[in-house]
Amino acid sequence: MKTTVNIIGSGFSSLAASCYLAQAGFDVTMFEKNKTIGGRARQLVKDGFTFDIGPTWYWMPDVFERFFSDFNKKPSDYYILEKLNPAYSVYFGKDDFITIEDTLEKIILAFEKEEPGSSKKLNKFIKIAKSNYDIAIKDLVYNPGVSPLELITPTTIKKINQFFSTIKKDVRKEFKNERLVKILEFPVLFLGAKPSDTPSFYSFMNYADFGLGTFHPKKGMYQVILAMERLALELGVTIKTEKPVDEIIVESGKATGIISKGKTYKSDIVVSGADYHHTETLLEKPYRQYSENYWTKKTFAPSSLLFYVGFDKKLINVNHHTLFFDVDFDVHAEAIYDTPKWPENPLFYASFPSKTDVNSAPKGKEAGIFLIPLAPGLDDTPELRATYFEKIITRFENLTSQSVKNNIILEESFCINDFIKDYNSYKGNAYGMANTLMQTAFLRPKLKSKLVDSLFFTGQLTVPGPGVPPSLISGKLAANLVIKHHSILV
């Protein structure tokens, strides 16, 4: 008789774990609280427009390839991937922007044009970043965070200084042009912390950006979720939607199932890809590993205020991905990390998938996703959302020299209250727990419960951290621990 596994949630990490466990011969059932699968990576389809609700950046294609190759598949078996050119553009003022194109050679030329002499420095910086990428993504991040010894290898010992310096120090030591500095500091924001709090070793994100490039799956990031769902179903996984989990059953110190809508679903093992903090509230207090005080003291990645906007015309002077860095980043970062409050003048990001993908909007129209990073736990009201939409859309018109307010035919928003309601997200965070030095690898919440036998965790609050590629890896790590745990029992 097969060993049974109940998985809570259906985001990237849960789907990945389900595939690996089903492949290993387990009888796997997933429980998703919402009507559709995908967790934070769901989709909004309305009035002919299609928006990715969550992740919109497809970076580190090699991680996706490695995932599918574990099942003798390729991403191209499920979805069409296009490399974006340009990858993105960054606005610093009215009609003042730098475009990041699709190859390192072109990016080096753009840097040299902006700051003479910077091309040699960028070459050197990216060479180190590539070395870090090869160590981190091909090796280190596939460790389960069980022991500090995982970080000690002949290659990491040579780079020990990079764990005690920061991205901000390294970038500003080499580059003086503030615009180039902002572009180089941007990728680590995906890790959820300020460049001044992110170890230098994480420059591998710059290689992901400049060295590997930015991609777009045709019909959106949700195609990756649908691909993983198809793979999971092919492997025999059962997926149940509209099944919120109310309790994890523990008997004699062992997880033996879950309760959803009053019904008990027994299993030999429970894996949760839901918010880690929320998952522990599904346990009686003696079985919770981490106190409320523990979570309060942790550095969380930002939440977000998102707007999904349909325009009745095509927009000009924007690319598929466009960043708006026309205000002081340090002031905005302070409002996120140091003294949490709504930022007076926020940076924001916009994605216009219909620039690349005809599936995103009706002909002649444009789909726009606008994102403002925020501190988690702030008050979230309709009035605040309206105020901030007006702020950024006014700036957007000015910076890109076009009128758009009267061309809006669809506007939906998603913010802190929605992250809590839809995903049980701690304080409404959007990206999990930041990857600071003291929240890296073995210092993050554990994949395996220390207090409940046969209970495991996966996702962005545990190892290896925030982001889509790390979530895929997290699912594999959790599944490997389950398989190892089961082999010991058997």
Side-chain angles (χ1 to χ4, degrees):
M1 194 169 171
K2 283 187 174 182
T3 301
T4 54
V5 182
N6 284 338
I7 298 183
I8 304 171
S10 67
F12 284 108
S13 59
S14 292
L15 280 166
S18 78
C19 291
Y20 286 110
L21 290 170
Q23 183 188 51
F26 292 81
D27 182 357
V28 182
T29 304
M30 297 179 68
F31 295 82
E32 167 57 51
K33 76 184 287 285
N34 294 309
K35 289 181 180 179
T36 57
I37 66 161
R40 285 167 164 79
R42 293 179 301 150
Q43 206 169 48
L44 169 65
V45 180
K46 190 171 182 180
D47 299 342
F49 293 91
T50 301
F51 306 93
D52 283 312
I53 290 178
T56 54
W57 293 78
Y58 192 108
W59 271 10
M60 304 184 186
D62 50 320
V63 175
F64 295 85
E65 288 160 11
R66 184 166 173 177
F67 168 77
F68 284 106
S69 72
D70 285 341
F71 304 92
N72 296 313
K73 302 282 187 181
K74 306 184 295 291
S76 58
D77 294 331
Y78 298 98
Y79 54 88
I80 299 168
L81 201 59
E82 179 180 352
K83 190 173 188 181
L84 295 181
N85 184 31
Y88 57 91
S89 54
V90 186
Y91 269 90
F92 297 98
K94 183 176 172 61
D95 302 322
D96 176 17
F97 58 88
I98 293 177
T99 298
I100 301 300
E101 294 189 71
D102 62 338
T103 67
L104 181 57
E105 292 72 25
K106 292 175 187 173
I107 296 166
I108 284 169
L109 288 175
F111 266 59
E112 185 65 27
K113 183 179 176 184
E114 184 70 24
E115 182 183 319
S118 65
S119 56
K120 286 183 181 178
K121 294 175 182 177
L122 183 60
N123 253 322
K124 177 185 167 188
F125 185 81
I126 294 299
K127 188 177 179 182
I128 294 169
K130 182 184 186 303
S131 170
N132 291 350
Y133 189 91
D134 289 341
I135 295 166
I137 304 304
K138 295 178 182 177
D139 184 15
L140 284 187
V141 295
Y142 284 91
N143 286 315
V146 172
S147 162
L149 297 178
E150 294 170 0
L151 295 178
I152 302 172
T153 69
T155 47
T156 56
I157 286 171
K158 291 176 186 174
K159 292 176 175 284
I160 192 70
N161 290 341
Q162 289 193 46
F163 288 92
F164 298 99
S165 185
T166 68
I167 291 290
K168 183 169 185 173
K169 282 181 186 174
D170 285 10
V171 168
R172 290 172 186 270
K173 184 170 66 181
E174 296 291 343
F175 300 90
K176 305 307 173 194
N177 183 296
E178 194 62 31
R179 293 144 63 94
L180 299 184
V181 164
K182 285 181 178 180
I183 291 171
L184 286 167
E185 289 181 346
F186 149 68
V188 300
L189 299 180
F190 285 111
L191 300 171
K194 293 188 292 186
S196 58
D197 291 332
T198 304
S200 302
F201 185 72
Y202 284 103
S203 68
F204 64 72
M205 293 296 290
N206 294 102
Y207 177 71
D209 180 1
F210 290 177
L212 296 176
T214 303
F215 296 78
H216 175 74
K218 189 177 180 182
K219 298 186 180 180
M221 284 291 287
Y222 196 63
Q223 294 306 304
V224 186
I225 290 291
L226 294 178
M228 295 177 74
E229 177 191 36
R230 220 175 103 195
L231 176 60
L233 293 173
E234 289 167 2
L235 292 164
V237 175
T238 300
I239 301 174
K240 296 178 181 288
T241 55
E242 296 185 87
K243 293 287 184 184
V245 174
D246 307 309
E247 184 183 335
I248 295 172
I249 303 166
V250 180
E251 298 173 325
S252 303
K254 180 181 184 297
T256 59
I258 55 102
I259 296 173
S260 173
K261 292 185 172 180
K263 185 176 178 181
T264 297
Y265 297 86
K266 299 291 280 186
S267 65
D268 300 303
I269 292 161
V270 175
V271 178
S272 179
D275 178 275
Y276 204 122
H277 170 270
H278 169 72
T279 301
E280 290 220 311
T281 69
L282 304 178
L283 298 162
E284 293 181 5
K285 278 193 175 179
Y287 297 121
R288 299 174 191 175
Q289 304 168 92
Y290 304 106
S291 66
E292 287 297 320
N293 191 43
Y294 169 90
W295 295 110
T296 302
K297 288 181 177 178
K298 292 298 167 186
T299 301
F300 272 79
S303 184
S304 298
L305 170 54
L306 290 136
F307 296 100
Y308 310 101
V309 184
F311 299 93
D312 68 2
K313 68 174 184 179
K314 301 301 286 184
L315 304 190
I316 59 171
N317 301 330
V318 290
N319 289 310
H320 185 123
H321 295 300
T322 309
L323 306 167
F324 294 87
F325 285 1
D326 55 307
V327 297
D328 192 322
F329 169 77
D330 290 334
V331 174
H332 187 167
E334 188 179 322
I336 296 173
Y337 297 102
D338 303 328
T339 52
K341 61 183 178 181
W342 283 82
E344 191 172 335
N345 294 304
L347 287 82
F348 65 98
Y349 150 71
S351 173
F352 302 96
S354 46
K355 287 288 176 190
T356 303
D357 196 335
V358 296
N359 303 283
S360 298
K363 190 174 180 181
K365 297 180 172 60
E366 204 87 85
I369 302 166
F370 295 81
L371 182 153
I372 302 172
L374 296 173
L378 298 179
D379 287 336
D380 169 18
T381 66
E383 293 76 19
L384 280 165
R385 295 188 191 195
T387 296
Y388 277 80
F389 184 69
E390 179 62 26
K391 279 188 184 218
I392 64 169
I393 208 70
T394 298
R395 270 173 49 207
F396 177 80
E397 287 188 321
N398 177 56
L399 292 165
T400 64
S401 296
Q402 64 187 314
S403 171
V404 300
K405 288 181 185 178
N406 294 331
N407 300 99
I408 294 171
I409 54 174
L410 170 66
E411 182 201 328
E412 299 273 346
S413 65
F414 198 95
C415 196
I416 290 167
N417 292 346
D418 301 298
F419 281 103
I420 295 169
K421 177 175 68 73
D422 287 0
Y423 312 132
N424 296 309
S425 171
Y426 179 72
K427 291 188 176 180
N429 80 82
Y431 304 104
M433 212 162 79
N435 260 337
T436 60
L437 178 61
M438 298 308 293
Q439 294 181 176
T440 292
F442 68 97
L443 295 171
R444 296 180 71 81
K446 302 299 182 187
L447 290 162
K448 184 178 186 296
S449 174
K450 297 174 286 187
L451 300 178
V452 180
D453 187 30
S454 299
L455 175 60
F456 298 82
F457 300 82
T458 186
Q460 55 189 5
L461 266 72
T462 182
V463 180
V468 176
S471 292
L472 294 180
I473 295 166
S474 186
K476 181 175 185 174
L477 296 177
N480 285 344
L481 286 182
V482 171
I483 294 164
K484 182 179 177 183
H485 173 75
H486 179 253
S487 67
I488 292 170
L489 293 180
V490 172

